[in-house]
Amino acid sequence: MTTVQTRPAAAGDRRRWQALAVCLVAGFMTLLDSSIVNVALPSMERGLGADAADVSWVVSGYALTFGLALVPAGRLGDVRGRRAAFLFGLALFTVTSVACGLAPSSGWLVVFRLLQGAASGIVAPQTTGLIQQMFQGADRARAFGMLGSVVGVSTAVGPPAGGLLIQAFGVDDGWRWVFYVNLPIGVAAFCAALRLLPRTPVAEKRREGADLMGVLLLGAGVLALMLPLVQEQQWTGRTKWTLMPVAALLLAAFWRWERRQGKRGNDPLIDLDLFSLRSFTLGVLLNLVYFGGFTTVFFIYTLYLQNGLGYGALAAGLASLPFAIGSAAGAALGGRLVVRHGRKLVVVGLAGVAVGLLAVIGTVQLLQGPGAAWAAALPLLLAGVGSGVTISPNTTLTLTRVPVRRAGAAAGILVTAQRIGSAAGIAAVGAVYFAHLANHGTSTRALQLGLLTAVGIILVALVLALADLRERQTHPEPPMGDGPAPEPAERTPSKA
């Protein structure tokens, strides 16, 4: 009797982990495309005759549409079904990847790249929402640990993967294979997702109205906020920063509109009650600040290796592998320990990243030459472990009390914070790096100042984590349970 009951449970458990693997493969592929193209930009310039503005939009356009799609796509998955939204986003991403590879001109490449970024933004919140839906308690923490590994590794492994493809297929057409490689992976992941991904439970899958005004206000606000950040190097002058107060006004109008929607009993794009959860609010803020420091490291480090030390694309990419290896190990460790240690892990991780990057700064100062990158491998490994121990537990802690019905929208907010933080960090750190390079021409010093700026941003995240840790000691929250977060009470229309 026991055997008969256990086998279906074991089969169901195995199916959940297989479904998670499909989600992680898709997530890895979409996140990889945000960094793999960096080393392929010279190949695009040569193969297509693209100018600086075109290749800039290949990078920044992807980030822009990725960020714009996240929250509406997360909400769409919550309401219409995460499985369907995931499959649509994955199919669109695969098709647009092939279109990018076939692009006959730089203009068409930019158009297809914008669509590819939007598809990536559709996939990302579904992955997190499906984890919330499929797992509970310690299993959910472990699943988020694996997701954290994917986030860290995909960012760091992009440059070496791009370098290998350029090396294999040549400088003129190697950039096309950066996109073609997504076709077999995307088709295999789509077929597996059709078979393995669970459908949204009937009780959860509600036909709620679309908040079109909320989508427009949020989209316009995020666009006005991100445009000057992603185009900081290309749009000269200070006029671009006038979009910042416009963004503030649009986002304030969005917040007020969402409050009004809630009071009227309508279903908003974002349930602002999520921000009453301390764990969610702080986790989103930590994500924003930490990604402002973390993702900038590879931006200036690969530039320094190629332009300052004369490394090729492959060698520059391989130099970042220690960070990727450390990040995978740290995220797996963090996923296992977060239930027991909570926010303490995030503090330890942030400290590890800061110490590792400071050691990189010291290494390039002592060894100002081609051997500096290999000597920096150990400090980068330490920083990678710290990054994994930061991202994975912070994701778990941020989303653990979010109601499953709101998981997609909450994930959209979390990843939007990552994208805005990354864009802002690259703008700030890039400004420091390029300003010193233009005024003094010393690439080693420019790298050191850029990394110091990144460390400063990470230390701000560390202060936030320490403040939260102290607050938890004074006013502790209940420990992480094994069940999903409770659903909020249904709204009733106002009688006013």
Side-chain angles (χ1 to χ4, degrees), residues 270-404:
I270 294 177
D271 185 355
L272 298 181
D273 289 341
L274 289 173
F275 291 97
S276 65
L277 297 170
R278 188 181 71 198
S279 55
F280 179 77
T281 303
L282 183 90
V284 169
L285 185 58
L286 271 173
N287 237 28
L288 181 116
V289 177
Y290 176 65
F291 272 76
F294 148 64
T295 51
T296 61
V297 173
F298 304 103
F299 173 63
I300 60 173
Y301 191 57
T302 54
L303 282 175
Y304 166 72
L305 293 177
Q306 292 183 81
N307 299 336
L309 300 184
Y311 278 43
L314 178 58
L318 290 174
S320 63
L321 269 181
F323 190 99
I325 294 168
S327 182
L333 180 66
R336 288 198 299 267
L337 298 179
V338 64
V339 175
R340 185 185 306 171
H341 298 290
R343 190 66 69 186
K344 292 178 183 177
L345 277 180
V346 178
V347 171
V348 171
L350 289 168
V353 177
V355 170
L357 292 182
L358 288 172
V360 171
I361 294 170
T363 300
V364 298
Q365 176 65 34
L366 292 172
L367 299 171
Q368 296 187 24
W374 309 116
L378 188 59
L380 279 175
L381 180 67
L382 172 61
V385 172
S387 184
V389 173
T390 298
I391 295 173
S392 167
N394 187 59
T395 302
T396 304
L397 293 167
T398 303
L399 298 175
T400 191
R401 302 186 196 287
V402 171
V404 174

Side-chain angles (χ1 to χ4, degrees), residues 71-84:
V71 174
R75 187 73 187 110
L76 177 68
D78 288 343
V79 175
R80 306 300 184 193
R82 298 181 189 108
R83 180 180 183 271

Side-chain angles (χ1 to χ4, degrees), residues 157-171:
V157 86
L164 282 170
L165 291 169
I166 300 296
Q167 184 85 3
F169 295 100
V171 177

Side-chain angles (χ1 to χ4, degrees), residues 56 86 97 112 257 370 389 412 415 454:
S56 169
F86 181 93
S97 293
F112 294 137
W257 171 261
V389 173
V415 184

Side-chain angles (χ1 to χ4, degrees), residues 74 78 82 125 128-130 132-133 399 402-412:
D78 288 343
R82 298 181 189 108
T128 309
L130 284 165
Q132 291 280 87
Q133 179 181 325
L399 298 175
V402 171
V404 174
R405 189 168 65 86
R406 301 295 187 187

Side-chain angles (χ1 to χ4, degrees), residues 31-290:
L31 288 170
L32 183 71
D33 261 56
S34 65
S35 62
I36 195 173
V37 299
N38 289 333
V39 296
L41 296 180
S43 176
M44 292 175 190
E45 290 176 329
R46 182 168 174 173
L48 287 176
D51 58 25
D54 291 329
V55 297
S56 169
W57 269 100
V58 168
V59 176
S60 60
Y62 183 90
L64 189 64
T65 52
F66 188 178
L68 287 172
L70 285 165
V71 174
R75 187 73 187 110
L76 177 68
D78 288 343
V79 175
R80 306 300 184 193
R82 298 181 189 108
R83 180 180 183 271
F86 181 93
L87 289 169
F88 171 73
L90 182 57
L92 181 61
F93 183 86
T94 305
V95 170
T96 52
S97 293
V98 176
C100 285
L102 294 172
S105 66
S106 56
W108 278 111
L109 177 59
V110 170
V111 171
F112 294 137
R113 188 71 171 148
L114 290 170
L115 291 172
Q116 190 191 33
S120 183
I122 295 171
V123 171
Q126 315 313 327
T127 299
T128 309
L130 284 165
I131 290 175
Q132 291 280 87
Q133 179 181 325
M134 293 188 297
F135 297 98
Q136 299 174 4
D139 281 347
R140 183 182 289 178
R142 183 182 169 197
F144 277 131
M146 295 178 181
L147 180 62
S149 295
V150 166
V151 173
V153 172
S154 61
T155 304
V157 86
L164 282 170
L165 291 169
I166 300 296
Q167 184 85 3
F169 295 100
V171 177
D172 289 337
D173 290 318
W175 67 269
R176 295 185 185 274
W177 289 92
V178 166
F179 300 110
Y180 288 153
V181 74
N182 292 330
L183 177 60
I185 302 172
V187 170
F190 185 88
C191 294
L194 274 176
R195 184 173 65 88
L196 294 170
L197 291 188
R199 299 181 184 276
T200 305
V202 175
E204 184 182 336
K205 189 174 178 180
R206 299 167 54 202
R207 295 287 174 181
E208 298 171 347
D211 183 8
L212 295 180
M213 180 58 72
V215 171
L216 290 174
L217 287 172
L218 180 63
V222 172
L223 180 65
L225 179 63
M226 289 190 68
L227 261 180
L229 295 174
V230 299
Q231 291 294 105
E232 199 273 336
Q233 295 298 320
Q234 286 69 39
W235 290 359
T236 57
R238 298 182 178 179
T239 308
K240 59 178 175 282
W241 301 116
T242 58
L243 284 173
M244 287 298 184
V246 174
L249 289 172
L250 286 168
L251 292 174
F254 167 74
W255 189 275
R256 185 170 181 178
W257 171 261
E258 295 298 282
R259 283 289 184 203
R260 188 179 178 185
Q261 286 286 91
K263 289 179 180 178
R264 288 182 171 183
N266 300 326
D267 213 64
L269 179 64
I270 294 177
D271 185 355
L272 298 181
D273 289 341
L274 289 173
F275 291 97
S276 65
L277 297 170
R278 188 181 71 198
S279 55
F280 179 77
T281 303
L282 183 90
V284 169
L285 185 58
L286 271 173
N287 237 28
L288 181 116
V289 177
Y290 176 65

